[in-house]
Amino acid sequence: MVVMLKRKMFRDIRKNLSQFITIFLMIMIGVMAYSGIEAYMDGMQATSDKFYSENNLQDYNVMGALTQDDLKDIKKIDNVKDAELKLSITATTDNDKTLLLNFIDSNNISKFYVYKGENFDFNKSGVWLDNFYAIENDIKVGDTILVKYETLELHEKVLGLINVPDHLYDVRDASELYPDRKEFGFAYISTNEIPESYIKSLVMKEFNITDEKVFDSINPNFEYSKYIPYNNVMVDVDNVEKKEEVKDKIEENIENAKAIINIENTSSYVTYQGEIDEGKTYVGVFSGIFLFIAMLSVITTMTRVVKNQRTQIGTLKALGFSNTKVLFHYIGYGFWISIAASIVGLLLGYFFIGNTFIDLEMAMFEIPNGHPVMNSNSYIVAVIVVLIVALITYITGRTILKENPAETLRNKIPSIKGNVLDITKKGIFKKLNFSSKWNVRDILRNKMRTFMGLAGVVGCCMLIVCALGMLDSMNYFVDLQFETIYNFDYKLNINSTITDKELEDLYSKYGKNTSETLGIEIKDKDGKKEANNIFVTDASNYVRFVDRKNNIISKPADNGVYVTYKLAENKGYKLGDKITWHIYGEDKYYTSKIIGFNKDPQNQNVTMTKNYLESLNIDYKPDAIYTNMDLSNTKEIKNVETIQDIENLKEGMSNMLSMMKTMLVLIIGIAVLLGGIIIYNLGILSYTEKQYQFATLKVLGFKDKAIKNIFVKQNNWIAIISIFIGCPLGFYLTDWLFKTAIEEHYDFGAYINTITFIISAIGTFLVSYLVSKFLARKIKNIDMVSSLKGNE
């Protein structure tokens, strides 16, 4: 008996192969989408956790003019496990690239991950270079590079190509959205390599001594290593739960500590973690929608498959098979297929989606050994999918088994309510032609099938609009940032050691359109402090401000501050509220009134004018000059650290978009594939259920072409209705993702072009239409005798 049931199962699967293939594909794609995106996000988290732990990422960066004595004092503080000095400067190379140059004495904190070459050695002469920068500029271990900073020139042999835990995502400044690895990188050198003559010149300048002999007579035992102008101490905390205590003690005891930055507030850490947090939302949205749509269709299909087997169920019962055996027989149809589909989906999710997405991310972040991680959630979801399919099959089969064998041996007579037929005799419906009336009645008789069809097509259309709309929105905000808000061609980042006279020289050449960015801490009503920055503008129309609707507004007045909309929303600020803040390195707090709001797509901060800053008795020291002069052939300007071209900034953002585009193309591909399968599957179900009616129409003399038109017309109606629902839902999904999933430093919203809606609508309709036309070809092969005889 068992063998006979197995043979029957295989025979039924072969007979309805297309339906079972679609069930397999829908489950596989749903599980693949969920497990793949989950594995990619968990992989990013596991990769960073391992990298941070194994390479000892610091807990704090202490900023200021720091000395060896400060280092000793910091190490004495309770709960400080270790600390290391670092001197970071922005240098240039012989080919006018920019390097964040770091001089260190040891490398026990934020340790190098060495791709090629050797580990750090204080006594070695050479440089350890950013691996990504080296690849982009074709630099290899053993090559020699020239590094320049002010009067300092170093010819250094490349000893190693490295990644460093606090350099996962490096940009030159906040105006860049995406790292330009060809033009900007980082490098590490032993402080042993700093020439004594350079340090001596700095000390002589500080004490206003011009004659070296005079300096030597005053300092006969000059030890230059004691005068290295360190500006950073990396602090490793022993007990993370007591981090705040360590910070407070450093503030109290280290006079030279001007700012203490939690590593979790640095751009490298925040950007990487933000990418993970965004992805977690995508797991719940994209993969959730994929699974939901797939399961709706699978449930519908399995229900119909079992119901179409009612006469076979009656036959099995008449032959003496118990209800339990019959039930388990039909549960096996969906159970084994869903198990196989789930296993394949898990494998493809890990090796295809997981690996593809994480490889794209690892091209943006400087972190080694990135790989997807499959956690228990994916396996649980796969098991739940299998159980749901089995449960639905069980419920459907059990309903049929409640009937006696005599009833189940006959096809179930459809229940037709009078009002379903009457509706086509009233109002505008009575003017419809026969095919339209027939379809209206069929839709009303099969509401669940119609709903499932709508849900499947709506979901796929929504995903396509969302994926394409995210690209539209990102492109829109690139234009907003770099064409509307930024109204300059070049930004000159001024050296922090510039004198007033040297600054005046820059003004005379490049104008006085300037700004200053101040690192601050804002204290809330409860005394909690949060890091932020103030953008102080004296840039005239070179840096503009926009409102929530992206319209240009006047720059802030001189009697208060502007706050970005998203920062105000996150902190609950309202117009007229006051914020209390202090500049890093200073104890004095200031209270400023919020006089307006502005939108900034990439930096949620506070803005004030130069005049307002000076009214608080704070000196204005610009760190950037904006100009529209043609500097395309200018590679270096005295007292300017970097020259940033607005076109290069836009190009960097375009590079990020190209990576994002690859991910979205994959999502669109999956959505189209799933949509096509669902539409095909629903078309098969619709065709199978209407086969008897179509046979009747053929007996009544209807031509195959007319019957095909009836079939295609109904599917077209469903597709059109789905498009009208799916397009606006796609917009709202995109807007929700940008406002919820994107980390709090960005302020994006949905801006979807009309052409995107048109492409999504046409694409969805074409898939539905082509599938309907393909299935309609089966109508000519309907056997009228066998189709009608089943209901005798």
Side-chain angles (χ1 to χ4, degrees):
M1 288 181 122
V2 175
V3 174
M4 187 178 82
L5 289 177
K6 284 183 179 179
R7 287 177 179 173
K8 177 183 178 299
M9 180 189 294
F10 289 127
R11 185 176 66 248
D12 288 340
I13 290 174
R14 282 197 304 272
K15 186 177 178 181
N16 301 280
L17 188 61
S18 58
Q19 284 182 270
F20 284 104
I21 288 175
T22 57
I23 291 171
F24 177 89
L25 290 174
M26 285 186 292
I27 294 173
M28 182 199 77
I29 291 172
V31 173
M32 177 183 72
Y34 181 88
S35 62
I37 300 176
E38 183 86 46
Y40 139 66
M41 295 320 309
D42 289 338
M44 285 190 68
Q45 187 69 67
T47 300
S48 65
D49 289 346
K50 182 180 179 182
F51 189 41
Y52 291 154
S53 175
E54 292 183 351
N55 295 75
N56 197 22
L57 177 69
Q58 67 266 39
D59 294 293
Y60 284 114
N61 286 325
V62 181
M63 319 294 289
L66 299 154
T67 65
Q68 293 284 356
D69 290 336
D70 292 324
L71 179 66
K72 292 176 184 176
D73 291 338
I74 289 173
K75 285 184 174 181
K76 290 177 184 177
I77 293 173
D78 290 341
N79 204 41
V80 171
K81 186 177 182 180
D82 198 5
E84 291 183 354
L85 284 163
K86 181 166 70 173
L87 167 62
S88 296
I89 57 176
T90 303
T92 56
T93 65
D94 51 351
N95 53 1
D96 298 308
K97 311 287 185 181
T98 305
L99 280 178
L100 180 62
L101 191 60
N102 302 277
F103 293 93
I104 56 175
D105 301 324
S106 56
N107 188 228
N108 296 318
I109 299 176
S110 201
K111 293 189 288 188
F112 301 165
Y113 176 90
V114 182
Y115 275 100
K116 293 180 181 178
E118 54 190 271
N119 292 321
F120 178 77
D121 187 337
F122 175 73
N123 297 308
K124 281 285 184 76
S125 296
V127 61
W128 284 263
L129 192 61
D130 173 359
N131 183 59
F132 274 28
Y133 175 86
I135 292 171
E136 289 292 328
N137 290 282
D138 195 27
I139 299 172
K140 299 177 177 61
V141 173
D143 291 351
T144 299
I145 64 172
L146 170 64
V147 183
K148 300 177 289 184
Y149 177 75
E150 295 179 345
T151 61
L152 179 66
E153 288 194 4
L154 299 173
H155 293 269
E156 298 290 341
K157 180 181 177 182
V158 177
L159 299 178
L161 304 181
I162 60 172
N163 281 157
V164 185
D166 59 351
H167 290 281
L168 300 194
Y169 191 88
D170 273 347
V171 292
R172 274 181 284 203
D173 65 17
S175 61
E176 288 189 346
L177 291 178
Y178 188 81
D180 186 350
R181 280 358 183 308
K182 191 172 182 65
E183 297 295 326
F184 179 72
F186 62 85
Y188 280 79
I189 299 178
S190 167
T191 51
N192 211 23
E193 288 296 283
I194 304 176
E196 180 178 350
S197 58
Y198 176 72
I199 300 299
K200 182 184 284 187
S201 68
L202 293 179
V203 178
M204 288 173 62
K205 185 177 180 181
E206 183 180 349
F207 288 101
N208 201 24
I209 299 174
T210 56
D211 191 332
E212 187 173 351
K213 291 181 179 179
V214 173
F215 181 83
D216 289 339
S217 65
I218 298 172
N219 300 279
N221 299 314
F222 177 69
E223 295 182 40
Y224 85 97
S225 61
K226 291 183 178 180
Y227 294 90
I228 294 174
Y230 295 104
N231 53 18
N232 192 316
V233 172
M234 298 178 289
V235 179
D236 185 15
V237 174
D238 197 18
N239 185 348
V240 178
E241 293 180 358
K242 297 182 178 179
K243 277 178 66 173
E244 284 300 316
E245 293 180 16
V246 171
K247 180 183 177 183
D248 293 339
K249 288 180 180 178
I250 293 174
E251 287 178 340
E252 292 172 8
N253 301 320
I254 310 301
E255 186 178 343
N256 291 328
K258 301 302 181 185
I260 304 168
I261 311 298
N262 189 328
I263 196 65
E264 294 176 4
N265 292 328
T266 59
S267 62
S268 172
Y269 190 99
V270 166
T271 305
Y272 188 88
Q273 196 60 43
E275 194 75 10
I276 295 172
D277 293 339
E278 291 168 27
K280 287 177 180 176
T281 304
Y282 298 151
V283 169
V285 175
F286 283 116
S287 56
I289 292 173
F290 279 129
L291 261 178
F292 177 72
I293 296 169
M295 288 310 299
L296 272 182
S297 300
V298 169
I299 290 168
T300 306
T301 305
M302 285 308 304
T303 302
R304 299 298 181 184
V305 166
V306 175
K307 283 186 176 181
N308 288 337
Q309 291 267 318
R310 63 180 285 108
T311 53
Q312 288 93 324
I313 292 172
T315 303
L316 291 172
K317 288 181 70 176
L319 291 172
F321 284 87
S322 68
N323 286 353
T324 302
K325 283 188 177 180
V326 175
L327 263 179
F328 275 102
H329 168 66
Y330 282 100
I331 288 172
Y333 281 64
F335 182 77
W336 296 112
I337 287 176
S338 58
I339 282 182
S342 295
I343 292 171
V344 175
L346 288 170
L347 291 172
L348 287 177
Y350 181 90
F351 290 105
F352 176 52
I353 295 182
N355 274 319
T356 300
F357 277 25
I358 207 162
D359 286 347
L360 289 169
E361 292 287 4
M362 294 305 103
M364 185 168 72
F365 294 102
E366 299 207 36
I367 186 168
N369 304 323
H371 62 277
V373 171
M374 190 77 77
N375 69 13
S376 58
N377 287 345
S378 297
Y379 298 111
I380 291 170
V381 166
V383 170
I384 290 173
V385 167
V386 173
L387 292 177
I388 288 174
V389 173
L391 179 64
I392 293 301
T393 312
Y394 167 79
I395 292 170
T396 306
R398 192 165 176 270
T399 302
I400 297 173
L401 285 167
K402 286 180 179 179
E403 301 175 14
N404 61 54
E407 291 175 340
T408 54
L409 283 170
R410 295 184 60 84
N411 283 335
K412 190 175 181 66
I413 304 300
S415 176
I416 302 175
K417 297 180 181 179
N419 59 355
V420 171
L421 298 175
D422 290 342
I423 194 171
T424 55
K425 301 176 183 178
K426 301 173 183 177
I428 61 170
F429 292 104
K430 67 181 180 181
K431 298 179 181 179
L432 297 175
N433 58 29
F434 174 80
S435 63
S436 297
K437 288 180 180 178
W438 191 92
N439 279 318
V440 169
R441 291 174 177 176
D442 186 67
I443 288 170
L444 293 175
R445 282 200 305 265
N446 298 278
K447 296 183 184 69
M448 183 54 67
R449 185 191 70 213
T450 304
F451 172 77
M452 293 297 185
L454 282 169
V457 182
V458 164
C460 296
C461 179
M462 180 174 64
L463 285 172
I464 294 171
V465 170
C466 180
L468 292 175
M470 290 179 76
L471 284 178
D472 284 347
S473 301
M474 292 296 287
N475 284 322
Y476 177 87
F477 280 99
V478 170
D479 291 341
L480 176 67
Q481 185 76 66
F482 295 108
E483 293 184 11
T484 303
I485 296 176
Y486 291 166
N487 191 34
F488 57 85
D489 292 333
Y490 290 90
K491 178 183 179 183
L492 311 181
N493 295 299
I494 304 170
N495 196 315
S496 59
T497 59
I498 194 170
T499 65
D500 290 342
K501 184 180 181 307
E502 290 168 336
L503 185 59
E504 286 296 330
D505 290 340
L506 288 177
Y507 285 164
S508 65
K509 292 179 182 178
Y510 306 106
K512 291 188 176 183
N513 298 293
T514 62
S515 71
E516 180 183 12
T517 301
L518 296 172
I520 65 167
E521 277 188 324
I522 299 175
K523 184 166 66 174
D524 63 19
K525 296 176 182 178
D526 300 323
K528 184 181 177 182
K529 302 173 186 176
E530 286 198 8
N532 208 298
N533 65 80
I534 290 178
F535 179 74
V536 185
T537 178
D538 192 35
S540 185
N541 198 42
Y542 282 73
V543 178
R544 299 184 291 208
F545 301 90
V546 296
D547 61 17
R548 188 52 114 183
K549 295 182 179 179
N550 305 321
N551 299 314
I552 296 174
I553 56 177
S554 301
K555 72 174 184 178
D558 297 333
N559 61 337
V561 298
Y562 268 32
V563 174
T564 55
Y565 286 104
K566 192 162 186 178
L567 179 62
E569 289 170 2
N570 291 337
K571 303 302 177 186
Y573 296 145
K574 295 181 176 61
L575 196 66
D577 285 354
K578 293 181 179 180
I579 60 170
T580 302
W581 55 277
H582 79 101
I583 300 171
Y584 273 122
E586 297 182 9
D587 296 329
K588 185 177 179 180
Y589 275 87
Y590 302 89
T591 299
S592 299
K593 183 180 178 181
I594 298 175
I595 59 173
F597 302 101
N598 69 291
K599 182 175 184 175
D600 192 320
Q602 59 171 324
N603 192 17
Q604 307 316 309
N605 63 354
V606 179
T607 297
M608 65 174 62
T609 63
K610 172 192 172 185
N611 291 339
Y612 179 68
L613 181 78
E614 291 177 336
S615 74
L616 300 173
N617 296 318
I618 303 173
D619 290 336
Y620 175 70
K621 298 176 182 178
D623 52 25
I625 294 177
Y626 305 95
T627 180
N628 287 332
M629 292 179 61
D630 184 5
L631 301 178
S632 56
N633 296 319
T634 304
K635 301 299 181 182
E636 190 173 338
I637 298 174
K638 186 179 180 182
N639 296 311
V640 172
E641 287 188 349
T642 56
I643 304 169
Q644 291 181 290
D645 183 347
I646 195 72
E647 291 302 321
N648 287 338
L649 296 178
K650 287 182 69 175
E651 184 181 346
M653 184 63 190
S654 298
N655 291 335
M656 186 173 76
L657 282 175
S658 66
M659 183 202 74
M660 184 180 177
K661 190 180 295 183
T662 304
M663 291 184 175
L664 294 177
V665 164
L666 186 57
I667 290 172
I668 292 167
I670 295 173
V672 171
L673 178 62
L674 183 60
I677 293 169
I678 287 172
I679 292 169
Y680 179 77
N681 178 62
L682 293 170
I684 291 175
L685 287 177
S686 177
Y687 169 78
T688 304
E689 291 179 355
K690 296 170 186 171
Q691 194 167 338
Y692 171 72
Q693 291 96 315
F694 288 159
T696 303
L697 291 175
K698 291 184 80 170
V699 170
L700 293 173
F702 281 78
K703 300 292 185 183
D704 287 346
K705 185 177 180 181
I707 300 172
K708 287 179 183 179
N709 287 338
I710 292 172
F711 178 70
V712 172
K713 180 183 284 188
Q714 185 179 136
N715 290 338
N716 287 346
W717 287 0
I718 292 173
I720 291 169
I721 294 169
S722 299
I723 288 166
F724 277 105
I725 299 172
C727 284
L729 285 180
F731 175 88
Y732 289 118
L733 175 62
T734 308
D735 197 53
W736 180 83
L737 280 172
F738 273 121
K739 290 177 179 177
T740 306
I742 299 293
E743 55 140 328
E744 63 181 22
H745 288 276
Y746 298 105
D747 187 4
F748 293 165
Y751 287 86
I752 303 179
N753 297 327
T754 304
I755 189 66
T756 295
F757 289 114
I758 294 172
I759 290 171
S760 302
I762 292 174
T764 303
F765 183 81
L766 274 178
V767 171
S768 176
Y769 178 76
L770 292 174
V771 168
S772 300
K773 291 291 284 186
F774 174 77
L775 290 172
R777 297 187 306 172
K778 294 176 173 283
I779 290 172
K780 67 180 180 181
N781 298 322
I782 291 176
D783 183 354
M784 290 180 284
V785 175
S786 59
S787 295
L788 294 172
K789 192 173 181 180
N791 283 283
E792 288 180 356

PDB file of all heavy atoms in Angstrom, residues 49 57 84 93 95 135 157 188 267 271 380 414 424 530 564 581 662 695:
ATOM      1  N   ASP A  49      33.375  42.420  14.603  1.00  0.00           N
ATOM      2  CA  ASP A  49      33.597  42.036  16.001  1.00  0.00           C
ATOM      3  C   ASP A  49      34.935  41.316  16.143  1.00  0.00           C
ATOM      4  O   ASP A  49      35.701  41.580  17.086  1.00  0.00           O
ATOM      5  CB  ASP A  49      32.466  41.130  16.496  1.00  0.00           C
ATOM      6  CG  ASP A  49      31.151  41.882  16.685  1.00  0.00           C
ATOM      7  OD1 ASP A  49      31.175  43.133  16.697  1.00  0.00           O
ATOM      8  OD2 ASP A  49      30.105  41.217  16.802  1.00  0.00           O
ATOM      9  N   LEU A  57      40.914  47.261  19.055  1.00  0.00           N
ATOM     10  CA  LEU A  57      40.423  48.621  18.782  1.00  0.00           C
ATOM     11  C   LEU A  57      40.353  49.414  20.082  1.00  0.00           C
ATOM     12  O   LEU A  57      39.880  48.911  21.100  1.00  0.00           O
ATOM     13  CB  LEU A  57      39.037  48.545  18.143  1.00  0.00           C
ATOM     14  CG  LEU A  57      38.342  49.873  17.847  1.00  0.00           C
ATOM     15  CD1 LEU A  57      39.066  50.609  16.711  1.00  0.00           C
ATOM     16  CD2 LEU A  57      36.882  49.644  17.463  1.00  0.00           C
ATOM     17  N   GLU A  84      48.485  54.589  24.162  1.00  0.00           N
ATOM     18  CA  GLU A  84      49.592  54.838  23.233  1.00  0.00           C
ATOM     19  C   GLU A  84      49.457  56.214  22.611  1.00  0.00           C
ATOM     20  O   GLU A  84      48.349  56.661  22.278  1.00  0.00           O
ATOM     21  CB  GLU A  84      49.604  53.785  22.109  1.00  0.00           C
ATOM     22  CG  GLU A  84      49.972  52.399  22.562  1.00  0.00           C
ATOM     23  CD  GLU A  84      50.038  51.399  21.413  1.00  0.00           C
ATOM     24  OE1 GLU A  84      49.690  51.775  20.271  1.00  0.00           O
ATOM     25  OE2 GLU A  84      50.415  50.250  21.663  1.00  0.00           O
ATOM     26  N   THR A  93      51.904  63.366  -1.091  1.00  0.00           N
ATOM     27  CA  THR A  93      52.939  62.501  -1.654  1.00  0.00           C
ATOM     28  C   THR A  93      53.558  63.173  -2.869  1.00  0.00           C
ATOM     29  O   THR A  93      53.135  64.253  -3.291  1.00  0.00           O
ATOM     30  CB  THR A  93      52.338  61.153  -2.064  1.00  0.00           C
ATOM     31  OG1 THR A  93      51.403  61.368  -3.118  1.00  0.00           O
ATOM     32  CG2 THR A  93      51.622  60.496  -0.899  1.00  0.00           C
ATOM     33  N   ASN A  95      53.236  62.458  -5.864  1.00  0.00           N
ATOM     34  CA  ASN A  95      52.289  62.576  -6.991  1.00  0.00           C
ATOM     35  C   ASN A  95      51.006  63.290  -6.555  1.00  0.00           C
ATOM     36  O   ASN A  95      49.943  63.082  -7.126  1.00  0.00           O
ATOM     37  CB  ASN A  95      51.970  61.197  -7.579  1.00  0.00           C
ATOM     38  CG  ASN A  95      51.515  60.215  -6.515  1.00  0.00           C
ATOM     39  OD1 ASN A  95      51.412  60.572  -5.339  1.00  0.00           O
ATOM     40  ND2 ASN A  95      51.230  58.991  -6.922  1.00  0.00           N
ATOM     41  N   ILE A 135      46.755  49.460  -3.549  1.00  0.00           N
ATOM     42  CA  ILE A 135      46.199  48.764  -4.716  1.00  0.00           C
ATOM     43  C   ILE A 135      45.792  49.764  -5.796  1.00  0.00           C
ATOM     44  O   ILE A 135      46.103  49.587  -6.980  1.00  0.00           O
ATOM     45  CB  ILE A 135      44.996  47.897  -4.294  1.00  0.00           C
ATOM     46  CG1 ILE A 135      45.462  46.731  -3.421  1.00  0.00           C
ATOM     47  CG2 ILE A 135      44.239  47.389  -5.518  1.00  0.00           C
ATOM     48  CD1 ILE A 135      44.330  45.943  -2.782  1.00  0.00           C
ATOM     49  N   LYS A 157      60.625  53.532   2.489  1.00  0.00           N
ATOM     50  CA  LYS A 157      60.392  52.235   1.855  1.00  0.00           C
ATOM     51  C   LYS A 157      59.111  51.623   2.421  1.00  0.00           C
ATOM     52  O   LYS A 157      58.871  51.659   3.632  1.00  0.00           O
ATOM     53  CB  LYS A 157      61.578  51.317   2.123  1.00  0.00           C
ATOM     54  CG  LYS A 157      61.444  49.927   1.506  1.00  0.00           C
ATOM     55  CD  LYS A 157      62.655  49.086   1.860  1.00  0.00           C
ATOM     56  CE  LYS A 157      62.523  47.668   1.315  1.00  0.00           C
ATOM     57  NZ  LYS A 157      63.679  46.822   1.694  1.00  0.00           N
ATOM     58  N   TYR A 188      51.391  54.658   8.360  1.00  0.00           N
ATOM     59  CA  TYR A 188      51.978  54.670   9.703  1.00  0.00           C
ATOM     60  C   TYR A 188      53.492  54.593   9.600  1.00  0.00           C
ATOM     61  O   TYR A 188      54.032  53.822   8.789  1.00  0.00           O
ATOM     62  CB  TYR A 188      51.448  53.497  10.525  1.00  0.00           C
ATOM     63  CG  TYR A 188      50.076  53.728  11.102  1.00  0.00           C
ATOM     64  CD1 TYR A 188      48.935  53.594  10.312  1.00  0.00           C
ATOM     65  CD2 TYR A 188      49.913  54.079  12.434  1.00  0.00           C
ATOM     66  CE1 TYR A 188      47.668  53.812  10.835  1.00  0.00           C
ATOM     67  CE2 TYR A 188      48.649  54.295  12.975  1.00  0.00           C
ATOM     68  CZ  TYR A 188      47.537  54.161  12.172  1.00  0.00           C
ATOM     69  OH  TYR A 188      46.283  54.394  12.700  1.00  0.00           O
ATOM     70  N   SER A 267      33.727  58.497  12.774  1.00  0.00           N
ATOM     71  CA  SER A 267      33.056  58.264  11.487  1.00  0.00           C
ATOM     72  C   SER A 267      33.288  56.853  10.968  1.00  0.00           C
ATOM     73  O   SER A 267      32.398  56.245  10.372  1.00  0.00           O
ATOM     74  CB  SER A 267      33.525  59.286  10.452  1.00  0.00           C
ATOM     75  OG  SER A 267      34.918  59.157  10.211  1.00  0.00           O
ATOM     76  N   THR A 271      29.943  54.691  10.536  1.00  0.00           N
ATOM     77  CA  THR A 271      29.537  54.382   9.160  1.00  0.00           C
ATOM     78  C   THR A 271      29.388  52.884   8.950  1.00  0.00           C
ATOM     79  O   THR A 271      28.416  52.416   8.345  1.00  0.00           O
ATOM     80  CB  THR A 271      30.550  54.953   8.158  1.00  0.00           C
ATOM     81  OG1 THR A 271      30.712  56.349   8.386  1.00  0.00           O
ATOM     82  CG2 THR A 271      30.085  54.734   6.729  1.00  0.00           C
ATOM     83  N   ILE A 380      15.566  28.443  11.323  1.00  0.00           N
ATOM     84  CA  ILE A 380      14.233  28.468  11.944  1.00  0.00           C
ATOM     85  C   ILE A 380      13.181  28.885  10.918  1.00  0.00           C
ATOM     86  O   ILE A 380      12.098  28.285  10.833  1.00  0.00           O
ATOM     87  CB  ILE A 380      14.216  29.421  13.155  1.00  0.00           C
ATOM     88  CG1 ILE A 380      15.067  28.830  14.287  1.00  0.00           C
ATOM     89  CG2 ILE A 380      12.792  29.666  13.639  1.00  0.00           C
ATOM     90  CD1 ILE A 380      15.314  29.783  15.433  1.00  0.00           C
ATOM     91  N   PRO A 414     -19.564  23.961  -7.595  1.00  0.00           N
ATOM     92  CA  PRO A 414     -19.275  25.294  -7.069  1.00  0.00           C
ATOM     93  C   PRO A 414     -20.525  25.967  -6.529  1.00  0.00           C
ATOM     94  O   PRO A 414     -21.604  25.854  -7.091  1.00  0.00           O
ATOM     95  CB  PRO A 414     -18.734  26.056  -8.297  1.00  0.00           C
ATOM     96  CG  PRO A 414     -19.219  25.305  -9.479  1.00  0.00           C
ATOM     97  CD  PRO A 414     -19.328  23.877  -9.053  1.00  0.00           C
ATOM     98  N   THR A 424     -24.015  41.526 -12.794  1.00  0.00           N
ATOM     99  CA  THR A 424     -23.717  41.828 -14.199  1.00  0.00           C
ATOM    100  C   THR A 424     -24.967  42.196 -14.991  1.00  0.00           C
ATOM    101  O   THR A 424     -24.898  42.444 -16.196  1.00  0.00           O
ATOM    102  CB  THR A 424     -23.031  40.619 -14.862  1.00  0.00           C
ATOM    103  OG1 THR A 424     -23.846  39.470 -14.688  1.00  0.00           O
ATOM    104  CG2 THR A 424     -21.664  40.390 -14.260  1.00  0.00           C
ATOM    105  N   GLU A 530      26.508  64.692  24.444  1.00  0.00           N
ATOM    106  CA  GLU A 530      26.630  63.989  23.173  1.00  0.00           C
ATOM    107  C   GLU A 530      27.495  64.799  22.230  1.00  0.00           C
ATOM    108  O   GLU A 530      27.367  66.022  22.134  1.00  0.00           O
ATOM    109  CB  GLU A 530      25.259  63.749  22.538  1.00  0.00           C
ATOM    110  CG  GLU A 530      24.474  62.655  23.232  1.00  0.00           C
ATOM    111  CD  GLU A 530      23.337  62.133  22.371  1.00  0.00           C
ATOM    112  OE1 GLU A 530      23.262  62.513  21.182  1.00  0.00           O
ATOM    113  OE2 GLU A 530      22.520  61.359  22.896  1.00  0.00           O
ATOM    114  N   THR A 564      19.656  71.106  12.173  1.00  0.00           N
ATOM    115  CA  THR A 564      19.104  70.308  11.077  1.00  0.00           C
ATOM    116  C   THR A 564      17.818  69.624  11.525  1.00  0.00           C
ATOM    117  O   THR A 564      17.655  69.261  12.694  1.00  0.00           O
ATOM    118  CB  THR A 564      20.109  69.256  10.586  1.00  0.00           C
ATOM    119  OG1 THR A 564      20.526  68.466  11.687  1.00  0.00           O
ATOM    120  CG2 THR A 564      21.322  69.912   9.947  1.00  0.00           C
ATOM    121  N   TRP A 581      25.976  73.992  25.154  1.00  0.00           N
ATOM    122  CA  TRP A 581      27.095  73.311  24.501  1.00  0.00           C
ATOM    123  C   TRP A 581      28.429  73.920  24.912  1.00  0.00           C
ATOM    124  O   TRP A 581      28.494  75.029  25.417  1.00  0.00           O
ATOM    125  CB  TRP A 581      26.941  73.401  22.974  1.00  0.00           C
ATOM    126  CG  TRP A 581      26.795  74.815  22.448  1.00  0.00           C
ATOM    127  CD1 TRP A 581      25.644  75.550  22.388  1.00  0.00           C
ATOM    128  CD2 TRP A 581      27.842  75.670  21.974  1.00  0.00           C
ATOM    129  NE1 TRP A 581      25.898  76.806  21.894  1.00  0.00           N
ATOM    130  CE2 TRP A 581      27.241  76.901  21.613  1.00  0.00           C
ATOM    131  CE3 TRP A 581      29.207  75.510  21.792  1.00  0.00           C
ATOM    132  CZ2 TRP A 581      27.964  77.968  21.092  1.00  0.00           C
ATOM    133  CZ3 TRP A 581      29.948  76.569  21.266  1.00  0.00           C
ATOM    134  CH2 TRP A 581      29.320  77.779  20.925  1.00  0.00           C
ATOM    135  N   THR A 662      24.462  47.686  -7.922  1.00  0.00           N
ATOM    136  CA  THR A 662      24.667  46.250  -8.107  1.00  0.00           C
ATOM    137  C   THR A 662      23.764  45.454  -7.165  1.00  0.00           C
ATOM    138  O   THR A 662      23.136  44.471  -7.560  1.00  0.00           O
ATOM    139  CB  THR A 662      26.139  45.884  -7.835  1.00  0.00           C
ATOM    140  OG1 THR A 662      26.974  46.676  -8.680  1.00  0.00           O
ATOM    141  CG2 THR A 662      26.388  44.420  -8.116  1.00  0.00           C
ATOM    142  N   ALA A 695     -14.158  24.392 -21.480  1.00  0.00           N
ATOM    143  CA  ALA A 695     -14.647  23.268 -22.290  1.00  0.00           C
ATOM    144  C   ALA A 695     -16.122  23.479 -22.634  1.00  0.00           C
ATOM    145  O   ALA A 695     -16.559  23.204 -23.772  1.00  0.00           O
ATOM    146  CB  ALA A 695     -14.453  21.956 -21.532  1.00  0.00           C
TER     147      ALA A 695
END
